[in-house]
Amino acid sequence: MPGLSERKRILNSIGGLPPPEVVNKEWLHILKEETRNSVLIEGVFVSEDELEEVLARGKPMKKSQAEAFNYYRAAKYFYELAFQGLQTGEFMLNLAIVRQINKMLLEGIDGNGGAFRKGDMKIAGAKISPPPGVDIDQWMKVHKQYILDHREDAGDTAAMHEIAVQHILFESIHPFSDGNGRTGRIVTNYLLVYRGFPPIILKGDDASKDRYYRALEAGDQALRKATKGFPGPEKASAILQAINSAPMENMILEASRTTLDRMIVSILEARGDIALKPARAVAKTLGFAADSMRTLINRGKFVAVKRGKDWFTHEKLEVETLTKTVAR
Ligand SMILES: Nc1ncnc2c1ncn2[C@@H]1O[C@H](COP(=O)(O)OP(=O)(O)O)[C@@H](O)[C@H]1O
Ligand SMILES: [Mg+2]
């Protein structure tokens, strides 16, 4: 996936990731869409209007609304925390944080929220059997250590690899009785925000969910034997090297590009630097065939956003040009 580091540099040159505040339109949009999609992966549909209403009222009326409300609150809180870490250069991740994310997600819904499961469990539709309850603590320490060992910035591509691996590991451990998907996706975004990336939105429609599950399945293959009995911290860490994380990495990279582009565009629009145009109009100005623009956008050559069914961009948003013009 070309253009991730370039985009990150572009974002940094125009002020960096803005603070996660709801007065920031783009942050609000991302938080709401992430919430709706993440609970949709779980099979819970909440419409835009319904979420809007629940957030305004501050009081969910049914379980699906409570799940969305809790998700939104937990995501916002932990991305704010990650953002503070980004400012101070302090990194914080421990078992308590992970448990608290799960607790906030299940507040008022499931009394077991926030505690690692004691019993054994199955993941619906998966080939992997997650570790028995007695091994969760040790596996979660491996997960934490993996993240701590890789928190130093080794470049954006390496970061995406590590973030993909930890997500596969987390979901394979399945430490809680419920909310593992949602907790793991918030942890993933927490790590992204800490590195100055906007959160990603993993889509909840059937095709996207299918792709996500296949990426997890490709990744958990290396862990299937290991989770039967805890192999010890060293061996467990070594097994992580064998994880096939490529499909998950690609998903995260693509999703990252999408939210990075949204952030970049919103900042440039607010500064009055650009007014977006339909991709076709940009093609025309540049003398390209109308549909060639889609290919260029797909390849990451232009910073672009989808509004409704259509793509919008600008001649000035060609990544190469932008790298030179905004990095002043
Ligand atoms: N093959 C797999 N390997 C590892 N994790 C998986 C696999 N298939 C699905 N999952 C994860 O399990 C999650 C569902 O677990 P669950 O505890 O019910 O979470 P939630 O309640 O948030 O949906 C999915 O969202 C996904 O992240
Ligand atoms: Mg569930």
Side-chain angles (χ1 to χ4, degrees), residues 42 178-179 182:
E42 199 210 339
D178 196 16
R182 286 166 283 164

Side-chain angles (χ1 to χ4, degrees), residues 137-200:
D137 240 57
Q138 282 176 292
W139 273 109
M140 286 307 289
K141 284 178 185 152
V142 172
H143 176 259
K144 175 180 92 171
Q145 201 52 47
Y146 179 81
I147 291 168
L148 294 178
D149 287 347
H150 295 91
R151 73 182 188 278
E152 293 307 330
D153 204 349
D156 298 326
T157 316
M160 291 299 159
H161 173 75
E162 285 140 24
I163 286 170
V165 169
Q166 70 74 33
H167 188 62
I168 292 163
L169 176 61
F170 181 89
E171 294 307 329
S172 300
I173 301 172
H174 235 65
F176 300 105
S177 350
D178 196 16
N180 293 287
R182 286 166 283 164
T183 305
R185 289 187 289 276
I186 291 183
V187 169
T188 295
N189 275 335
Y190 175 86
L191 299 173
L192 284 167
V193 172
Y194 173 74
R195 289 175 186 269
F197 287 98
I200 56 168

